[in-house]
Amino acid sequence: MVSQIRFLMCAPDHYDVDYVINPWMEGNIHKSSRDRAVEQWNKLYHVIKDHAIVDLVAPEKGWPDMVFSANAGLVLGENVVLSRFLHKERQGEEPYFQQWFEQNGFNVYTLPKDLPFEGAGDALLDREGRWLWAGYGFRSELDSHPYLAKWLDIEVISLRLMDERFYHLDTCFCPLANGYLLYYPGAFDSYSNRVIEMRVAPEKRIAIVEADAVNFACNAVNVESIVIMNKASESLKSRLAEVGFQVIETPLTEFLKAGGAAKCLTLRVTEPIGEEIYANASVESRVIRMEGHLLDAGLINRALDLIVEMGGSFQVLKFNLGEQRQSTSAAEVRVSAPSHEVMEEIISQLIDLGAVDLPQDERDTRLEPVIQAGVAPDDFYVSTIYPTEVRVNREWLKVQNQRMDGAIAISQTANGIVAKCKLLRDLEIGDKVVVDVFGIRTVRKAESREQRNSQEFSFMSSGVSSERRVEIVVEQVAWELRKIKDSGGKVVVTAGPVVIHTGGGEHLCRLVREGYVQGLLGGNAIAVHDMEQNILGTSLGVDMKRGVAVRGGHRHHLKVINTVRRFGSIAKAVEAGVVKSGVMYECVKNNIPFSLAGSIRDDGPLPDTQMNLILAQQEYSKIIEGADMILMLSSMLHSIGVGNMTPAGVKMVCVDINPAVVTKLSDRGSIESVGVVTDVGLFLSLLTQQLDKLTSPYVANVG
Ligand code: ARG
């Protein structure tokens, strides 16, 4: 029986693979046989004619892909949104399709120039007429989706395509009658898969395997219970049969060479309008502004990549390239995201890059009160290491105590309104906490090109250094240490027991003694093994001179702890002359504050070890205050803790033998941190050698 359903097709008179605009076309230029293509197309034409009415649009010479009439536009009722092809190779088809639609009484909408949308190739109606699924990522732009919603008065669900083989939505997604959905999940990003799963019940989802997907099984024409496609595996056919669909296979191999099959070769032009549908697109757009050395520092590329990686899309509205070498550039970028949720994620990352959300620029930040002590309101803005400002009562306030992983709390004090980073546990009932992402900006230092290239720490932007670069880094760190010392600055060291085990103790002692270190952070272990070595000559029971285990040596560290406990503190043990050398000795003698955070192994602990982690945290942050540089020496967890409390701008050097640790620590997205993969004992020894070479005082030449 022929139903009243109509399809538009275009005969393959001029069909060929003439260019490459998708991966299927690669290597296939002029490789398809015209005769076979005509034969396959005719067969498809007749199969469809058995079930529906077929209209034809005249093929045009020079436009070989015009056979793929799915890309003519998107039809709903009397309305059609005409395609705007991304590639110039197909743009010439537009007027021919437009003419056909107009001659056949359709109301044609055309999108703004430069806003690609490839018709029914990228937009598929739910067969129950409930909504429109629209793809983006390769051909159609996300920003076209709100137009579809408005003109066709329908809800649009945006799906992001990730696999370039499935560059059009109809190559991997096919809504079927009765609410079924045939699709290839591997073609979509995880967010889109979640959206699909939320909309389509599990029993209605027919997920296919890659082998079927590459045969274009999803590129199917569905007329009631018939599903017409190039090819399907036996298991797919039986899966479809189970739910009442009959597969008709008709080979379309010649068209696969251009990246299309059954569905691409047809356009359904009778699409009934659903009953209770309404215009709605969850696509959101915002305009952000960025300023600084956008090109030199790679900020703009990072911002644009980030938007796309997170599932959004962008349009650069303005880009003002600084005229002189020293000038900064400014950009305004329109960001679109498929939902509010994704938009929030994108914007908060862009803020980290220094972007300002433009319309919000005139808006105050949104505040919500804390209603349970120690718990922030949902959607609270998570602070970063970058200097941040928030807009309260039309004024930008600098956030105090800048640190990572906190909430920003606003309070009224005698000196006016204050914004402060607070840890979750410190939030008190009544505190007002910044939520959402409005009225928040981070301030990125706009150093000049010269500064960046000449500064000692310019090498730091290159991230993790290993092997041959170690010496260069050591040289730079030595200069930096010298400079900080000469200017009365502050260097804090985080050290693990490995410093002692690898023989780095004596070098660290020298750094402390010679005034290069202003604070020491660690745990119970570094202090214990340091004193063990200096009292008993072993480190964890190993003789440090001979490198062999000493009999009974495994008890050494406990004996040391016990001795120090007898005196009541490390300082007292030093005073009593029990501890005569070592890192802890030097700290005590030189009045260098230290904090030992915890011992989960619970050996002892030393009387100085702070077993209350919250208090330990407080001690740490007190010592870090005002630091110019932090040297992280083989102590992963203490260093991560320290990294989180340290605002951007503080130079960090992370040394560890394990590259994964170094990467983790130095990857703060800030140029002031560098990782060094090497033995920490060796690093310290090279560092002291290097410092010895710096005889003449460093002369400051920047500032
Ligand atoms: N060669 C054509 C292109 O790349 C194939 C179009 C396939 N059409 C479709 N609806 N998937 O544009």
Side-chain angles (χ1 to χ4, degrees):
M1 189 204 74
V2 175
S3 67
Q4 283 312 295
I5 296 170
R6 303 181 88 96
F7 287 93
L8 175 67
M9 291 180 70
C10 176
D13 302 16
H14 307 293
Y15 170 71
D16 197 358
V17 181
D18 277 354
Y19 45 77
V20 176
I21 56 170
N22 69 50
W24 303 91
M25 301 174 100
E26 244 162 64
N28 274 329
I29 290 195
H30 306 315
K31 292 269 169 63
S32 73
S33 136
R34 175 71 49 82
D35 293 348
R36 217 172 315 133
V38 169
E39 185 193 315
Q40 293 182 341
W41 186 89
N42 277 323
K43 204 167 154 234
L44 175 71
Y45 173 77
H46 287 291
V47 172
I48 295 182
K49 262 194 106 158
D50 288 344
H51 302 277
I53 299 163
V54 181
D55 293 326
L56 291 172
V57 52
E60 295 292 336
K61 196 158 187 284
W63 303 106
D65 272 339
M66 212 176 148
V67 274
F68 298 113
S69 55
N71 299 117
L74 171 67
V75 179
L76 180 58
E78 303 286 279
N79 296 320
V80 42
V81 180
L82 194 70
S83 285
R84 274 227 183 269
F85 286 95
L86 172 71
H87 297 292
K88 61 174 185 329
E89 286 85 346
R90 294 200 65 181
Q91 287 165 357
E93 300 170 33
E94 292 165 16
Y96 300 114
F97 286 129
Q98 175 162 13
Q99 195 182 10
W100 187 90
F101 286 124
E102 281 168 357
Q103 284 170 355
N104 286 270
F106 287 93
N107 180 22
V108 179
Y109 289 97
T110 50
L111 286 156
K113 247 183 130 276
D114 295 326
L115 186 57
F117 166 66
E118 301 203 346
D122 260 337
L124 299 160
L125 285 151
D126 164 56
R127 297 259 46 95
E128 312 281 283
R130 295 168 295 181
W131 54 70
L132 178 74
W133 302 99
Y136 70 103
F138 294 105
R139 296 292 183 87
S140 300
E141 194 56 49
L142 182 59
D143 280 331
S144 64
H145 296 180
Y147 286 94
L148 309 179
K150 186 169 82 181
W151 290 335
L152 304 179
D153 195 21
I154 192 166
E155 180 184 9
V156 177
I157 301 173
S158 304
L159 300 176
R160 179 182 178 205
L161 299 166
M162 297 293 283
D163 182 333
E164 61 171 354
R165 294 172 301 173
F166 306 106
Y167 58 96
H168 273 145
L169 184 63
D170 68 359
T171 60
C172 50
F173 194 89
C174 183
L176 301 175
N178 298 323
Y180 284 96
L181 172 66
L182 183 68
Y183 77 122
Y184 175 55
F188 299 92
D189 74 354
S190 58
Y191 180 80
S192 302
N193 271 305
R194 241 169 46 228
V195 169
I196 295 169
E197 287 160 17
M198 264 155 52
R199 291 284 174 145
V200 185
E203 67 279 8
K204 296 278 183 177
R205 297 196 294 259
I206 306 167
I208 69 167
V209 295
E210 189 178 3
D212 274 319
V214 295
N215 280 327
F216 273 58
C218 288
N219 199 249
V221 179
N222 171 220
V223 185
E224 281 139 18
S225 64
I226 306 288
V227 185
I228 305 159
M229 62 175 76
N230 169 56
K231 196 172 153 68
S233 62
E234 285 312 313
S235 66
L236 176 58
K237 276 187 268 189
S238 56
R239 173 87 179 81
L240 283 165
E242 270 167 39
V243 289
F245 292 103
Q246 184 206 337
V247 173
I248 300 181
E249 289 174 292
T250 179
L252 294 162
T253 49
E254 291 317 301
F255 298 98
L256 247 61
K257 293 174 183 166
K263 162 66 174 57
C264 303
L265 292 166
T266 62
L267 174 70
R268 187 160 161 162
V269 287
T270 44
E271 290 284 14
I273 299 177
E275 285 291 292
E276 279 170 52
I277 57 172
Y278 51 90
N280 179 24
S282 48
V283 177
E284 262 194 29
S285 299
R286 294 205 199 155
V287 178
I288 55 136
R289 185 181 169 80
M290 297 186 76
E291 250 181 66
H293 290 283
L294 299 182
L295 287 179
D296 289 0
L299 277 178
I300 191 78
N301 319 12
R302 259 160 70 200
L304 300 183
D305 284 353
L306 186 149
I307 295 169
V308 174
E309 271 160 28
M310 297 188 71
S313 66
F314 64 81
Q315 195 187 348
V316 178
L317 301 175
K318 283 188 200 156
F319 193 88
N320 192 340
L321 191 61
E323 272 138 42
Q324 255 135 41
R325 206 154 52 139
Q326 291 307 324
S327 1
T328 56
S329 38
E332 273 180 33
V333 181
R334 207 172 98 100
V335 182
S336 301
S339 68
H340 183 66
E341 188 187 341
V342 175
M343 179 62 92
E344 295 277 282
E345 283 170 21
I346 294 176
I347 296 284
S348 63
Q349 300 244 9
L350 288 173
I351 290 175
D352 293 353
L353 284 180
V356 187
D357 204 352
L358 253 203
Q360 279 76 37
D361 207 17
E362 286 100 57
R363 240 196 277 176
D364 278 354
T365 118
R366 215 158 73 69
L367 299 174
E368 259 184 45
V370 170
I371 47 172
Q372 182 183 348
V375 180
D378 274 347
D379 283 343
F380 73 102
Y381 174 80
V382 180
S383 65
T384 64
I385 57 172
Y386 302 107
T388 305
E389 294 180 349
V390 290
R391 194 173 186 272
V392 183
N393 297 343
R394 296 158 172 269
E395 265 180 56
W396 287 100
L397 291 181
K398 186 162 170 25
V399 175
Q400 300 172 9
N401 285 7
Q402 189 66 47
R403 59 156 295 155
M404 194 163 138
D405 294 347
I408 299 177
I410 310 291
S411 52
Q412 181 75 51
T413 70
N415 306 325
I417 300 175
V418 173
K420 221 179 194 176
C421 277
K422 270 191 159 190
L423 292 171
L424 296 183
R425 63 166 179 270
D426 295 330
L427 292 173
E428 289 160 34
I429 294 181
D431 272 352
K432 295 225 167 54
V433 167
V434 173
V435 295
D436 256 325
V437 288
F438 313 131
I440 306 173
R441 65 184 186 199
T442 62
V443 188
R444 289 257 177 155
K445 253 198 304 190
E447 348 96 285
S448 72
R449 185 199 298 261
E450 255 75 53
Q451 263 173 326
R452 228 191 354 272
N453 292 343
S454 71
Q455 256 182 11
E456 289 68 28
F457 264 55
S458 59
F459 68 96
M460 303 228 149
S461 49
S462 45
V464 175
S465 322
S466 59
E467 277 103 49
R468 66 194 176 77
R469 297 203 63 232
V470 169
E471 289 181 26
I472 307 171
V473 177
V474 167
E475 209 173 295
Q476 310 257 28
V477 173
W479 267 105
E480 196 67 26
L481 282 177
R482 181 61 186 256
K483 189 177 97 177
I484 295 173
K485 180 183 161 181
D486 290 351
S487 62
K490 182 170 180 179
V491 174
V492 175
V493 171
T494 326
V498 185
V499 169
I500 309 299
H501 304 326
T502 57
E506 55 173 301
H507 306 295
L508 185 52
C509 281
R510 270 198 58 190
L511 294 182
V512 176
R513 198 161 51 231
E514 292 173 13
Y516 289 106
V517 177
Q518 282 70 40
L520 177 74
L521 307 173
N524 193 59
I526 166 98
V528 170
H529 296 297
D530 168 59
M531 290 185 290
E532 174 192 343
Q533 195 204 330
N534 286 284
I535 298 176
L536 300 165
T538 57
S539 180
L540 207 56
V542 174
D543 185 310
M544 289 302 284
K545 296 246 157 58
R546 294 179 297 139
V548 290
V550 175
R551 237 180 49 181
H554 62 282
R555 283 194 290 268
H556 280 181
H557 76 284
L558 267 178
K559 291 192 169 167
V560 168
I561 293 172
N562 196 44
T563 307
V564 178
R565 287 179 71 86
R566 181 170 305 124
F567 289 94
S569 73
I570 295 174
K572 285 187 185 139
V574 169
E575 248 169 64
V578 180
V579 180
K580 297 194 202 61
S581 58
V583 177
M584 299 320 294
Y585 170 86
E586 298 294 348
C587 284
V588 172
K589 283 291 177 196
N590 294 287
N591 280 321
I592 301 303
F594 60 84
S595 170
L596 307 176
S599 163
I600 191 68
R601 172 170 161 171
D602 210 5
D603 40 359
L606 287 167
D608 305 68
T609 300
Q610 179 53 267
M611 295 299 280
N612 177 331
L613 277 183
I614 293 181
L615 293 181
Q617 273 246 355
Q618 287 167 5
E619 286 179 20
Y620 264 46
S621 64
K622 195 136 190 58
I623 291 179
I624 291 167
E625 233 172 72
D628 300 288
M629 187 199 254
I630 300 192
L631 269 182
M632 301 175 160
L633 307 176
S634 297
S635 170
M636 178 169 74
L637 293 177
H638 295 110
S639 301
I640 291 175
V642 167
N644 285 7
M645 310 180 195
T646 310
V650 179
K651 288 157 183 161
M652 297 200 327
V653 180
C654 323
V655 186
D656 204 290
I657 193 79
N658 181 348
V661 171
V662 170
T663 308
K664 167 128 189 83
L665 288 173
S666 51
D667 187 11
R668 310 212 307 163
S670 79
I671 59 159
E672 306 92 358
S673 65
V674 68
V676 190
V677 177
T678 192
D679 175 273
V680 68
L682 185 66
F683 174 86
L684 284 168
S685 142
L686 288 174
L687 185 60
T688 47
Q689 281 172 34
Q690 200 55 49
L691 282 167
D692 285 341
K693 287 192 201 155
L694 300 179
T695 44
S696 60
Y698 172 84
V699 183
N701 60 6
V702 280

